Amino acid sequence: MSWLWAIILGLVLGLIAKAIIPGKQAIPLWLTVIFGMLGSVLGNWVATGIGVNETEGIDWMRHLLQLVGAVLVVGVGDRLWAGMRAHRKRTT
């Protein structure tokens, strides 16, 4: 069941990150989910590092860090994906 929640969270964070980043991102939905999951892991790692991963009530700071991580990963991943696609078009 935890994988299902990870996929759902990755989808939500990835879509929100794509909405925050200006311009159109060319990454497919499956890659958006993976990047959202990676951003969530990155945000959790940072939250643990600064000591805000477990708080009373809703962990707003951890969720914000997960979103920031997703924005970073989606932004970088989109640039890499676009570069790979452009390189593949030039070679064929």
Side-chain angles (χ1 to χ4, degrees), residues 3 9 13 16-17 25 29 31 35-38 43 48 51 53-54 56-57 66 76 81-82 85-87 90:
W3 277 104
L9 181 65
L13 285 174
I16 293 172
Q25 291 77 40
L29 185 61
L31 202 52
F35 288 163
M37 290 169 65
L38 290 173
T48 301
N53 61 330
E54 294 293 328
E56 301 261 339
Q66 288 174 338
V76 171
W81 180 260
R85 301 287 291 185
H87 178 69
R90 281 184 280 167

Side-chain angles (χ1 to χ4, degrees), residues 25-59:
Q25 291 77 40
I27 56 175
L29 185 61
W30 64 269
L31 202 52
T32 302
V33 172
I34 291 172
F35 288 163
M37 290 169 65
L38 290 173
S40 174
V41 169
L42 178 64
N44 281 336
W45 180 74
V46 171
T48 301
I50 63 174
V52 294
N53 61 330
E54 294 293 328
T55 60
E56 301 261 339
I58 299 175
D59 296 330

Side-chain angles (χ1 to χ4, degrees), residues 1-24:
M1 191 67 166
S2 63
W3 277 104
L4 178 62
W5 282 114
I7 292 170
I8 292 170
L9 181 65
L11 174 65
V12 170
L13 285 174
L15 290 176
I16 293 172
K18 283 178 77 168
I20 290 173
I21 298 171
K24 183 175 179 346

